[in-house]
Amino acid sequence: MTPPSQGTWPASVSFGLLATAMDRETEGREYLAQHKIPDLLHNLSALLLYHRPERPREFLIKTLEKIKLSKLTRVDYPYLMDESNVDAMFEMLDVAGQGYITLKQYEGALESLGLSIQDEAYKDTDIITASVFKENVMKKFAEMWAAF
């Protein structure tokens, strides 16, 4: 039996097809979110744009292999920033050269790096020193990659 020509489907069939398509899309989005695929692709894209390798596919394969190995060893994650970059970022935030930044500055820095600000046990009046900043940022980068 052939389906009716376009535009002649009964409304109940059309609605059913639309609802099924929407359900599948919702399932797909939930699946991707559950496995953190959008976050992984975002971070891989950032690394790709930062390094701009001659062979992007090989670079991505090697990066995924490095992530896999790093998850086992808990070392050598493919950071977008190294410790000297994190130090420079802190210095830019500490414009007065006081050796510390505010919690608001710290949270803003984490957000700009795409890192989680959840689970931070600081009060609004707390200050963040350079060593705490670097330690936390590098730890959060490692946690981010370990989540994939």
Side-chain angles (χ1 to χ4, degrees):
M1 177 172 164
T2 50
S5 61
Q6 186 175 359
T8 60
W9 287 93
S12 62
V13 171
S14 296
F15 180 74
L17 292 173
L18 179 62
T20 300
M22 290 174 65
D23 289 344
R24 293 290 295 160
E25 181 179 345
T26 300
E27 287 175 12
R29 288 181 190 277
E30 289 172 359
Y31 172 83
L32 293 174
Q34 176 187 358
H35 295 283
K36 300 182 180 185
I37 302 302
D39 295 336
L40 175 62
L41 293 175
H42 174 78
N43 290 316
L44 289 172
S45 297
L47 283 172
L48 195 61
L49 290 172
Y50 179 77
H51 292 287
R52 298 180 190 260
E54 281 282 321
R55 297 179 169 174
R57 287 183 187 95
E58 286 181 23
F59 175 82
L60 290 171
I61 290 167
K62 286 180 182 179
T63 301
L64 288 169
E65 289 170 347
K66 186 174 185 177
I67 293 167
K68 184 178 178 180
L69 179 63
S70 296
K71 283 184 74 164
L72 297 172
T73 62
R74 297 267 187 219
V75 294
D76 203 25
Y77 285 98
Y79 297 112
L80 183 59
M81 299 176 70
D82 62 19
E83 289 188 14
S84 66
N85 298 127
V86 176
D87 288 337
M89 184 176 201
F90 182 85
E91 289 173 13
M92 288 189 299
L93 292 168
D94 182 20
V95 292
Q98 298 171 320
Y100 64 87
I101 58 174
T102 65
L103 181 61
K104 191 170 191 94
Q105 289 173 303
Y106 171 64
E107 290 175 343
L110 291 179
E111 284 184 29
S112 71
L113 293 170
L115 300 173
S116 172
I117 61 170
Q118 295 177 346
D119 302 327
E120 291 297 321
Y122 297 107
K123 294 180 249 167
D124 287 341
T125 56
D126 287 345
I127 57 172
I128 309 297
T129 64
S131 60
V132 168
F133 180 79
K134 183 175 13 180
E135 179 183 329
N136 287 352
V137 168
M138 299 309 285
K139 180 178 140 201
K140 286 183 176 289
F141 271 129
E143 289 170 355
M144 175 192 67
W145 285 116
F148 299 123

